Structures are given as C-alpha cells and as structure tokens.
Amino acid sequence: MDSDDGLDQLLANRGNWDARAPIHAASEFYSNHDSSYWFAPFEWDALGDVRDRDVLHLQCHLGTETIEFAKRGATAVGLDFSPASIRHARELTTDTVEYVCADVYDAPNAVGHRQFDIVYTGKGALCYLPDLPRWAAVLAELLRPGGLVYIVEFHPLLHSLGPTPPAEVDPDSLVLHDDYLEGRGAQRRDSDHTYTDGPGLTSDTTVYEWRHGLGEVINALIGAGLRITDLTETEMLPWPRWSHMIRTDNGWFRLPPTDPIIPLLYGLAATKPT
C-alpha cells in the first residue's frame, strides 16, 4: 500500500467516524441498552473476573464495552482514533474510565508504554486495519507477560454476506456478494448509512475497509509470539441483520431454526507467554 494512499484512507476513515459519533451518541441503538448488553455470554467465560485488572479497549468508539469493564471493577482505558468518538465517550461515562485519542498502531506510545492484563478489541474494528501483523505486534507490546488479548469480531462470513444488505439484493437473502479472504486491498465504500437509527451522514461518507479471514487473524497473532487459547464461533448478533431473526435468551438475535446455522460472530483469545 502506498504510504500517501494509506494516509488518505486513514484520514477518510477518521472523518467518517467523527461524523458518525454524534449520530451514534444520540441513537436509540446505543442508549436503549445497558453496557452489559454488548457482550455475548461466552466472552466472560474467556475474560474471567476482571476486578482489579488493567484493561485496554482498542478502537473503543463510544466506550460502550469499556464502561462495562469499569463497572466490573477493572481499571479501564479506551482508545480510539476519532476525536469526536472520544469526546462523546467521555460525556457518556464517569471518571472511572480513562480515554485516549490515538491510532491503534500508535497505542503503545499513546498510553506511555504501559502494559495491561487484558487487551480487548472487536465488533467492527479489524476491518479498518490494513496491516494485521503490525497490529498483532502492537497487541504483544501492550500485554504484560501472561496477559490476555480477546478479540470479538463479526465473522468473515458475515462480511461476505454483508453486515448491511446491498440495495440490489433481497435484504433477507443469504447470498455471498463480498470477499471472505484478504488480498484485494482497501475496499472503498460510500454511503450515508451509519448502522444506527437517526439521520444519515451529510458529509464524510467515504470509508475504506479491509477483509481479514480467520486464518489471517490467527496467523498474525501467532507471528507476534502470542498463543491461541480459545476460538468460539456463534450464530448470534447483537442486532437483527435479517428481519426474520429471532431473539435469544440474552436479548441478541439469531436466524430461525429453518435457516442454516452459520457463524456471524467469533471470539478469539490469545495469551502472551510468561
């Protein structure tokens, strides 16, 4: 990737998320749910008791999950590259959470080279990162020996189906129309849709995304010296991507039993050797 192109793409993405932030902060999508809602039950099986643990949440946006870590007794830090997102995150929380505005690749410098017991990231974060080996090296630098990185991400299959339906297909169809695997480089999107309720974007509608298959994510972590300890794939999502999805016991959504059981979200745990 040309360095000038990469900088332009980063600036476009930052502008897009700055424009989204006030819409998201005012949306029912976020305000109607407690911070605990945004965690799948299996996440806490991997994360364990976070009380008195140092937790860094990368690409935290409005800090919805960051707040939950603080509620559970962790010393929580949220980091995001969007100044507007960080500003709204600070308005939505108490002084129990520290927020840092920085690009994820510069996270070690931004947090003063502190190390953490847990680094948490996901739910729509990795698609904005062009270089996963570099990202994984950042995770390893941020972790204390014995520390845990936990990634909860939309499954590459969901990205292939489309997290939001394209206009030209049946919105309830299970049809592949996008890449599962990496290799095509940055994919340019131009849309005023922000994934929440509320008004559409009136500016900064261009965004760049990169596709990352599960193998690429796992190999990046292994290449950074981390040890994979758990991989969970689930058919659940925190919002109804398809209109005929049904609610689960925890309030999330899944396709009805008559549809194929397919992975829509995954949780991946890795540790830094002592």
Side-chain angles (χ1 to χ4, degrees):
M1 180 176 62
D2 183 88
S3 58
D4 290 338
D5 289 344
L7 179 59
D8 289 344
Q9 291 160 1
L10 172 64
L11 292 174
N13 284 356
R14 183 179 296 161
N16 179 264
W17 282 97
D18 281 344
R20 294 187 196 205
I23 297 171
H24 290 181
S27 71
E28 293 183 3
F29 182 87
Y30 280 111
S31 62
N32 280 359
H33 298 294
D34 183 81
S35 58
S36 63
Y37 174 82
W38 300 105
F39 289 82
F42 62 78
E43 295 188 55
W44 296 113
D45 293 337
L47 290 163
D49 185 359
V50 298
R51 185 175 300 277
D52 299 325
R53 309 295 298 278
D54 293 324
V55 178
L56 174 62
H57 180 193
L58 296 178
Q59 296 172 271
C60 68
H61 190 35
L62 301 181
T64 46
E65 292 99 330
T66 326
I67 293 168
E68 184 62 20
F69 284 117
K71 286 182 177 179
R72 291 174 179 249
T75 300
V77 179
L79 181 144
D80 198 273
F81 76 157
S82 161
S85 292
I86 290 296
R87 182 171 65 254
H88 285 285
R90 287 171 175 154
E91 292 173 354
L92 293 171
T93 191
T94 66
D95 58 7
T96 58
V97 179
E98 176 188 351
Y99 287 106
V100 177
C101 187
D103 182 84
V104 67
Y105 293 122
D106 195 43
N109 289 328
V111 299
H113 297 281
R114 282 180 286 173
Q115 291 187 313
F116 296 83
D117 300 306
I118 298 171
V119 176
Y120 179 89
T121 188
K123 300 188 181 80
L126 296 192
C127 64
Y128 296 104
L129 300 179
D131 187 339
L132 285 198
R134 183 182 172 196
W135 160 81
V138 166
L139 298 181
E141 185 175 349
L142 290 166
L143 284 174
R144 292 190 176 112
L148 170 74
V149 58
Y150 197 69
I151 302 149
V152 186
E153 264 299 349
F154 300 124
H155 201 281
L157 180 57
L158 176 63
H159 282 298
S160 296
L161 294 167
T164 56
E168 66 273 13
V169 303
D170 176 358
D172 285 331
S173 65
L174 300 179
V175 177
L176 296 176
H177 64 86
D178 207 345
D179 296 336
Y180 178 110
L181 295 175
E182 65 282 0
R184 204 182 296 273
Q187 300 186 18
R188 185 181 187 272
R189 311 286 182 188
D190 199 321
S191 173
D192 66 356
H193 180 65
T194 76
Y195 75 73
T196 70
D197 54 284
L201 298 175
T202 58
S203 66
D204 297 288
T205 57
T206 297
V207 69
Y208 293 89
E209 298 181 6
W210 289 263
R211 292 290 168 256
H212 302 297
L214 267 178
E216 185 190 8
V217 178
I218 289 170
N219 287 333
L221 295 171
I222 293 172
L226 302 175
R227 185 172 68 89
I228 307 298
T229 57
D230 183 73
L231 172 62
T232 299
E233 296 176 293
T234 180
E235 74 277 22
M236 295 189 302
L237 283 176
W239 89 99
R241 158 61 179 86
W242 293 276
S243 64
H244 61 298
M245 293 185 87
I246 58 177
R247 282 194 180 272
T248 64
D249 291 341
N250 72 321
W252 283 26
F253 298 85
R254 58 157 293 169
L255 288 164
T258 51
D259 280 14
I261 300 175
I262 57 175
L264 302 176
L265 190 82
Y266 70 90
L268 180 59
T271 58
K272 181 174 179 177
T274 56

